[in-house]
């Protein structure tokens, strides 16, 4: 064997499938050997007493992106990827967001430009489709897929992004034909607007009313509706950022039938509740995200969904908006919940929260943790087996976790540019100590070791199989026989 560049020795190595005590050998960017005992590398890392896990893949984060409300996120591709790396993540898939009046081609070129010279870990893009014109559907989406953007997000709410059911069907139909995956923000816009108007008229503009307006039934209704649209075409759909028991049960029922429905949840729905929004003045804006934080019973339902396989992926939905007039409180303490940027930061806290509250508290096994945080993302978004696992030939993307370290979260520990963390004061056990991306040490000893711009763009393949449903494509087959 050629001399190893890096040997990771004696760790507890876990993949989605198994856990073994072994050494890992790395040459250049790749894992080249996995064995009980390997020769010394140019650099040897003793991982005794540590978990050696695939680097996390965060497939839902908003970086240097203009939101549906026209608000720029606080993190650019430097601070966003640095923050991700410190949290044990080695790949991100943020969004290139097409706003109305802009072509997909221009949008994608623009996001490449934003990321190229800044990212410190590898990245791909999903496309947010704001305006599915004929040109977008027939020319630009197929071209984007060829360029490695094989998943699209669509919104059922927000005036500037909301698509009608007819438009959703058009997008689903193209995705189904081309083999791409559609991610859906499922909330019923009319229900939210109807409640919000009445709340504001009655003077209920405080942050906690955000949670009242974004009712769990609005999430459940849209979830049910998009599942029916998906079934009509047999088009796979991933429901993102699921927050409520109602939506979770709806998804579970569809999966049990055999529909091609996948689902994602996020850390905020596991450890925060609506009570966090209920603070003096507008402080609660820091906890306003959509769908919103719910109650303890909802937390339990989401944990159950992670355990029983309803959710295939666990992402941060990092939506970093500053607590100032640029984003969260445009009119200072007069700001109502309708005017606040929706979203919470979490790219750095995503994995420590699941490790501490899931693995160490016995809710999830370590292999489930790996599936939910890395392997299923790689499979679902066309990166497997290059990313998302520890195997010979895979990229050496690895996070070494110390399960004994306990820390109280303090914003000074974070590396993003948001200015606060919604997890301030929470105590979590188990943190990544060394993070390696394509064989390069990116984080060690609490320090960043990678250079700005050293992350690479990942042109992704088509989504691969992820364990979930069988098939229930009878309606779609009958329809196709008639209309092609
Ligand atoms: N949807 C997201 O995916 N993130 C932040 C806010 C939102 O509505
Ligand atoms: Zn969303
Ligand atoms: Zn999001």
């Amino acid at each position: 064997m050629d001399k190893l560049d890096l040997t990771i020795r004696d760790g507890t190595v876990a993949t989605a499938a198994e856990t073994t005590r072994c050494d890992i050998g790395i040459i250049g960017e790749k894992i080249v050997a996995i064995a009980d005992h390997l020769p010394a590398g140019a650099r040897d890392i003793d991982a005794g007493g540590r978990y050696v896990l695939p680097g996390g893949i965060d497939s839902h984060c908003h970086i240097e992106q203009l939101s549906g409300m026209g608000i720029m996120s606080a993190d650019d591709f430097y601070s966003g990827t640095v923050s991700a790396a410190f949290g044990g993540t080695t790949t991100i898939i943020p969004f290139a967001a097409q706003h109305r009046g802009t072509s997909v081609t221009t949008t994608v070129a623009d996001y490449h430009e934003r990321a190229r010279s800044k990212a410190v870990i590898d990245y791909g893009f999903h496309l947010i489709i704001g305006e599915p014109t004929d040109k977008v559907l027939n020319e630009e989406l197929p071209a984007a897929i060829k360029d490695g953007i094989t998943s699209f997000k669509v919104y059922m709410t927000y005036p500037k992004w909301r698509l009608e059911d007819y438009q959703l069907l058009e997008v689903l139909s193209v995705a189904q034909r081309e083999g791409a995956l559609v991610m859906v923000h499922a909330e019923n816009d009319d229900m939210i607007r109807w409640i919000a108007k009445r709340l504001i008229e009655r003077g209920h503009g405080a942050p906690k009313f955000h949670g009242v307006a974004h009712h769990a039934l609005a999430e459940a209704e849209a979830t049910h509706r998009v599942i029916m649209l998906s079934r009509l075409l047999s088009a796979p759909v991933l429901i993102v950022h699921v927050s409520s028991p109602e939506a979770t049960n709806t998804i579970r029922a569809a999966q049990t039938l055999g529909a091609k429905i996948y689902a994602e949840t996020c850390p905020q729905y596991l450890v925060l509740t609506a009570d966090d929004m209920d603070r003096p003045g507008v402080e609660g804006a820091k906890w306003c995200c959509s769908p919103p934080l719910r109650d303890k019973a909802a937390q339990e339902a989401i944990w159950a969904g992670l355990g029983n396989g309803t959710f295939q992926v666990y992402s941060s939905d990092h939506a970093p908006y500053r607590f100032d007039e640029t984003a969260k409180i445009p009119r200072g303490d007069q700001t109502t919940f309708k005017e606040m940027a929706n979203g919470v930061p979490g790219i750095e806290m995503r994995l420590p929260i699941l490790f501490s509250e899931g693995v160490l508290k016995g809710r999830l096994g370590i292999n489930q943790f790996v599936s939910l945080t890395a392997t299923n993302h790689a499979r679902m978004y066309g990166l497997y087996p290059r990313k998302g696992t520890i195997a010979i030939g895979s990229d050496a993307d690895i996070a070494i976790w110390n399960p004994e370290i306990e820390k109280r979260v303090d914003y000074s520990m974070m590396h993003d540019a948001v200015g606060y963390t919604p997890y301030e004061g929470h105590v979590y056990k188990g943190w990544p100590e060394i993070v390696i991306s394509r064989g390069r040490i990116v984080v060690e000893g609490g320090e960043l070791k990678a250079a700005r711009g050293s992350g690479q763009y990942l042109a992704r393949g088509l989504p691969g199989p992820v364990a979930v449903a069988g098939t229930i494509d009878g309606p779609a087959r009958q329809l196709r026989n008639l209309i092609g």
Side-chain angles (χ1 to χ4, degrees):
M1 185 189 303
D2 291 342
K3 170 93 177 157
L4 298 171
D5 293 328
L6 178 59
T7 303
I8 303 172
R9 197 173 291 297
D10 250 350
T12 301
V13 178
T15 64
E18 58 186 350
T19 309
T20 39
R21 202 48 195 284
C22 59
D23 295 354
I24 298 174
I26 296 165
I27 296 181
E29 301 188 345
K30 299 286 182 188
I31 296 170
V32 297
I34 300 174
D36 284 350
H37 190 75
L38 287 170
R43 165 94 202 262
D44 243 47
I45 295 176
D46 175 7
R50 312 285 196 273
Y51 280 102
V52 178
L53 307 180
I57 301 178
D58 195 343
S59 58
H60 186 157
C61 48
H62 303 267
I63 308 291
E64 213 169 326
Q65 186 215 303
L66 210 54
S67 78
M69 292 167 77
I71 299 165
M72 182 47 99
S73 54
D75 282 309
D76 66 8
F77 276 86
Y78 182 69
S79 61
T81 54
V82 169
S83 186
F86 273 92
T89 291
T90 51
T91 298
I92 60 166
I93 314 178
F95 298 92
Q98 183 218 13
H99 286 261
R100 290 178 189 158
T102 311
S103 77
V104 166
T105 314
T106 308
T107 302
V108 170
D110 186 18
Y111 278 82
H112 275 296
E113 207 42 50
R114 293 175 199 206
R116 189 174 294 121
S117 60
K118 299 182 201 132
V120 303
I121 56 173
D122 294 351
Y123 59 94
F125 295 118
H126 314 283
L127 182 73
I128 288 174
I129 303 177
E131 194 174 31
T133 60
D134 285 349
K135 184 169 187 302
V136 168
L137 292 165
N138 299 326
E139 297 170 30
E140 294 196 304
L141 293 188
I145 291 169
K146 284 202 183 70
D147 287 344
I149 300 179
T150 53
S151 43
F152 314 130
K153 184 177 179 191
V154 291
Y155 285 78
M156 298 171 81
T157 187
Y158 294 125
K160 291 199 175 144
W161 268 344
R162 168 190 172 172
L163 301 188
E164 303 300 328
D165 292 350
Y166 190 92
Q167 295 173 302
L168 293 172
L169 283 169
E170 295 275 47
V171 171
L172 286 172
S173 161
V174 171
Q176 199 277 340
R177 191 185 69 216
E178 304 284 337
L181 180 66
V182 179
M183 308 159 77
V184 181
H185 179 129
E187 286 189 290
N188 179 310
D189 193 54
D190 292 325
M191 288 164 82
I192 294 168
R193 279 196 299 131
W194 191 89
I195 303 170
K197 178 167 183 288
R198 280 150 186 82
L199 286 170
I200 299 286
E201 281 169 0
R202 287 159 182 72
H204 300 315
K208 67 177 177 185
F209 293 105
H210 172 77
V212 179
H214 287 250
H215 204 283
L217 291 178
E219 186 185 10
E221 189 285 324
T223 300
H224 175 77
R225 184 158 32 108
V226 78
I227 288 170
M228 295 304 132
L229 301 182
S230 152
R231 284 184 53 192
L232 190 68
L233 303 178
S234 197
V237 157
L238 170 75
I239 317 279
V240 295
H241 48 46
V242 176
S243 70
S244 65
E246 292 85 350
T248 306
N249 292 340
T250 302
I251 289 163
R252 183 82 181 152
Q255 291 170 340
T256 305
L257 278 176
K260 293 176 185 162
I261 301 298
Y262 303 94
E264 170 203 83
T265 194
C266 317
Q268 55 268 34
Y269 305 120
L270 298 178
V271 297
L272 302 173
T273 68
D275 289 346
D276 285 296
M277 288 183 276
D278 189 6
R279 294 174 192 248
V282 289
E283 180 82 9
K286 293 175 185 170
W287 285 265
C288 285
C289 55
S290 293
L293 306 174
R294 308 223 185 254
D295 58 13
K296 284 273 174 204
Q299 284 185 349
E300 285 314 311
I302 300 295
W303 275 114
L306 283 172
N308 68 26
T310 305
F311 300 112
Q312 290 71 44
V313 282
Y314 165 81
S315 312
S316 68
D317 193 6
H318 181 71
Y321 298 115
R322 289 198 187 92
F323 186 67
D324 64 17
E325 68 290 345
T326 65
K328 283 289 186 185
I329 46 168
R331 291 196 303 117
D333 58 9
Q334 297 304 303
T335 308
T336 68
F337 70 85
K338 280 304 279 176
E339 301 157 307
M340 294 166 182
N342 287 195
V344 292
I347 203 164
E348 195 162 339
M349 289 305 304
R350 172 182 77 119
L351 299 182
I353 288 172
L354 198 69
F355 193 90
S356 173
E357 304 308 290
V359 178
L360 294 187
K361 294 202 172 157
R363 289 170 163 131
L364 300 172
I366 190 70
N367 310 105
Q368 275 177 304
F369 175 90
V370 172
S371 301
L372 287 162
T373 60
T375 315
N376 284 351
H377 300 252
R379 288 188 190 279
M380 191 165 281
Y381 293 113
L383 291 171
Y384 192 82
R386 177 174 170 194
K387 303 286 190 189
T389 193
I390 293 178
I392 292 173
S394 294
D395 280 1
D397 289 0
I398 290 171
I400 302 178
W401 286 73
N402 185 335
E404 298 302 331
I405 298 180
E406 191 170 83
K407 290 187 203 169
R408 181 176 296 276
V409 179
D410 180 310
Y411 182 67
S412 65
M413 293 157 53
M414 299 291 114
H415 298 82
D416 59 48
V418 194
Y420 62 89
T421 167
Y423 306 104
E424 186 78 33
H426 289 216
V427 176
Y428 295 114
K429 191 170 178 194
W431 292 79
E433 283 183 328
I434 299 179
V435 180
I436 299 164
S437 157
R438 275 184 290 105
R440 310 165 297 141
I441 294 185
V442 175
V443 172
E444 186 178 18
E447 285 181 18
L448 182 71
K449 304 287 181 186
R452 200 180 173 91
S454 58
Q456 287 181 358
Y457 171 66
L458 300 165
R460 296 181 289 115
L462 293 175
V466 175
V468 60
T471 59
I472 179 176
D473 57 2
R477 261 189 289 113
Q478 284 170 352
L479 194 62
R480 242 177 266 140
N481 286 342
L482 278 171
I483 62 174

